Amino acid sequence: MLRRLLRIWPRTRSRVRSEKEKITRHSRPACGRQAQGKEALSTQRIAKKGEEIDGMRKKVTVVGGGFVGSTTAQRIVDRELADVVLTDILDGPPAGKALDMMESGPITRTDSRATGISTANGDYSATANSDVVVITAGFPRKPGMSRDDLLKANYDVVKAVVEQIVRHSPNCIIIVVTNPLDAMAQAAWKVSGFPKSRVLGMAGVLDSARMSAFVAMECKVSVENVHSFVLGGHGDDMVPLPRYSTVAGIPLPDLLKKERIDAIVERTRKGGAEIVNLLKTGSAYYAPSAAAVEMVEAILKDKKKILPCAVYLDGEYGIKGLFVGVPVKLGAKGVEEIIQIKLTAEENMALQKSAGSVKELVSVLGI
Ligand code: 2OP
């Protein structure tokens, strides 16, 4: 039976593939050569060569194989959202992590493929025709270091990466996770030459998730009952909005005393530093990767999901020419709408102050 199956499989598979190719949005490297006898079944080749990604599944490249990048890749693979190419400048670790993910597939029941490549030689061809590219590459924050200290070093990294991504995936949507987040998103947009709908930064989802976690702890309720809203830049002056944050639809100011809300707001603002200080080396990665993947999913599934993301503002909220976190509708086209909510004078002042901090960084970079 098995022998018979192996005999007819190459023929059947190539017929199915040619049908798929007719309706696949992007052309991907073909895998016909592998459809030969034993070689066709070698998962090791698949993981090593980065040439097997094919067919109907979406493709996501995750740039940077550190904790944030590899956890992002793992979440995408585990949820079978797309095939993933994980890149790093190191040679070996991205391939090893990708193969490890592939080997967990039979247990987690995912057919998403993971490929890991080193881009030390500048070769990004394995990332070609990605639907979404998540950029996590960059230097991490160390204890006592602000996100802004990372500015120049990470700008060089993001610039080099984006130049390659644009060459190989001219139609992709770029999600920037590298810090300082808003300035790096602006850098990626500028370097890419992409329309503003196809470049965005991650952090509003992360900051809102942190706030929701703290609210759920405080109120002793399920996180599923909590919805939080954090706008502004991903810095210490981010703007958590208690008025728009709810527990089972009830706004926070109707539920908690002001000092409890203030404590939650403060802890949210310092959420990244709290983890950095506890970890001693490196920064958070579970929540950042979960946040990035929520955005990837909204795009790949065209969910039209409203999420706070760093996007280019062109006059919205009175801010012009700057990436700042605001609620947007995320779908297959990327940022499909910027949602403008009413802010009090105080909330607006906080948003303008936060935007001012982003502007300072952007000015230092001269972009
Ligand atoms: C964080 O807030 C590292 O910015 C990241 O955890």
Side-chain angles (χ1 to χ4, degrees):
M1 176 66 185
L2 181 62
R3 218 173 294 143
R4 192 161 153 258
L5 201 61
L6 283 175
R7 250 196 341 266
I8 61 165
W9 183 69
R11 261 186 292 137
T12 318
R13 187 170 153 76
S14 70
R15 203 168 49 236
V16 170
R17 207 188 62 236
S18 70
E19 284 307 308
K20 276 180 179 174
E21 272 165 5
K22 280 186 207 152
I23 49 173
T24 301
R25 188 150 68 89
H26 300 308
S27 63
R28 301 267 166 77
C31 71
R33 270 178 300 125
Q34 271 67 49
Q36 307 273 332
K38 275 191 205 150
E39 205 179 33
L41 301 175
S42 161
T43 50
Q44 206 141 19
R45 282 203 76 214
I46 290 169
K48 275 191 180 149
K49 294 272 179 162
E51 59 184 19
E52 285 290 330
I53 288 179
D54 184 16
M56 296 290 292
R57 278 190 295 261
K58 302 282 186 176
K59 180 172 176 179
V60 175
T61 288
V62 179
V63 180
F67 283 118
V68 176
S70 54
T71 316
T72 299
Q74 184 206 1
R75 289 184 190 280
I76 294 170
V77 169
D78 277 358
R79 287 165 65 174
E80 214 172 40
L81 292 177
D83 289 332
V84 174
V85 178
L86 179 66
T87 82
D88 201 278
I89 48 165
L90 297 177
D91 190 12
K97 288 178 184 182
L99 180 58
D100 199 8
M101 284 175 218
M102 292 286 289
E103 290 168 354
S104 60
I107 304 165
T108 57
R109 297 180 181 276
T110 174
D111 283 310
S112 281
R113 292 179 184 146
T115 308
I117 59 154
S118 167
T119 51
N121 59 2
D123 183 3
Y124 277 70
S125 54
T127 70
N129 298 318
S130 293
D131 296 284
V132 177
V133 176
V134 183
I135 301 177
T136 72
F139 298 98
R141 254 169 109 190
K142 303 221 169 77
M145 193 181 186
S146 83
R147 291 182 180 101
D148 304 351
D149 294 336
L150 298 173
L151 183 64
K152 285 206 166 138
N154 282 351
Y155 172 71
D156 292 340
V157 173
V158 167
K159 181 170 181 290
V161 166
V162 170
E163 282 166 357
Q164 289 301 323
I165 290 305
V166 168
R167 264 187 69 207
H168 293 284
S169 300
N171 299 314
C172 72
I173 292 167
I174 298 177
I175 298 175
V176 179
V177 177
T178 306
N179 272 320
L181 195 283
D182 309 84
M184 290 303 107
Q186 181 127 2
W189 170 70
K190 196 85 183 191
V191 172
S192 69
F194 280 6
K196 61 185 184 185
S197 57
R198 288 205 281 124
V199 182
L200 59 163
M202 174 276 282
V205 178
L206 167 64
D207 298 327
S208 302
R210 284 187 174 139
M211 183 169 175
S212 288
F214 302 145
V215 170
M217 289 176 204
E218 177 72 26
C219 297
K220 300 189 175 43
V221 296
S222 164
V223 288
E224 291 182 42
N225 285 135
V226 186
H227 187 265
S228 302
F229 236 106
V230 181
L231 305 189
H234 183 53
D236 295 344
D237 52 13
M238 66 178 74
V239 189
L241 292 178
R243 250 178 6 106
Y244 282 102
S245 302
T246 57
V247 177
I250 305 162
L252 278 197
D254 294 346
L255 280 174
L256 293 175
K257 293 211 170 87
K258 186 176 177 312
E259 56 272 22
R260 293 315 304 150
I261 295 178
D262 289 348
I264 289 170
V265 164
E266 195 51 19
R267 192 170 178 195
T268 302
R269 288 197 169 124
K270 307 250 167 76
E274 183 177 3
I275 306 273
V276 167
N277 291 330
L278 287 167
L279 291 181
K280 309 278 191 279
T281 58
S283 54
Y285 50 97
Y286 292 124
S289 60
V293 173
E294 184 170 29
M295 294 164 70
V296 169
E297 183 181 40
I299 293 166
L300 294 182
K301 294 186 176 170
D302 192 23
K303 285 179 81 80
K304 320 285 188 202
K305 196 167 191 176
I306 295 172
L307 294 170
C309 305
V311 295
Y312 184 84
L313 296 182
D314 194 13
E316 298 89 351
Y317 291 93
I319 299 166
K320 205 167 167 59
L322 207 58
F323 270 72
V324 179
V326 295
V328 303
K329 190 194 281 181
L330 269 194
K333 297 194 186 98
V335 181
E336 298 188 354
E337 194 184 334
I338 291 173
I339 314 289
Q340 298 207 58
I341 56 171
K342 278 203 181 132
L343 299 178
T344 63
E346 198 184 337
E347 290 163 346
N348 186 46
M349 222 159 67
L351 182 64
Q352 301 303 328
K353 180 171 178 255
S354 182
S357 304
V358 178
K359 197 174 176 80
E360 268 175 37
L361 299 182
V362 166
S363 312
V364 172
L365 293 174
I367 54 172

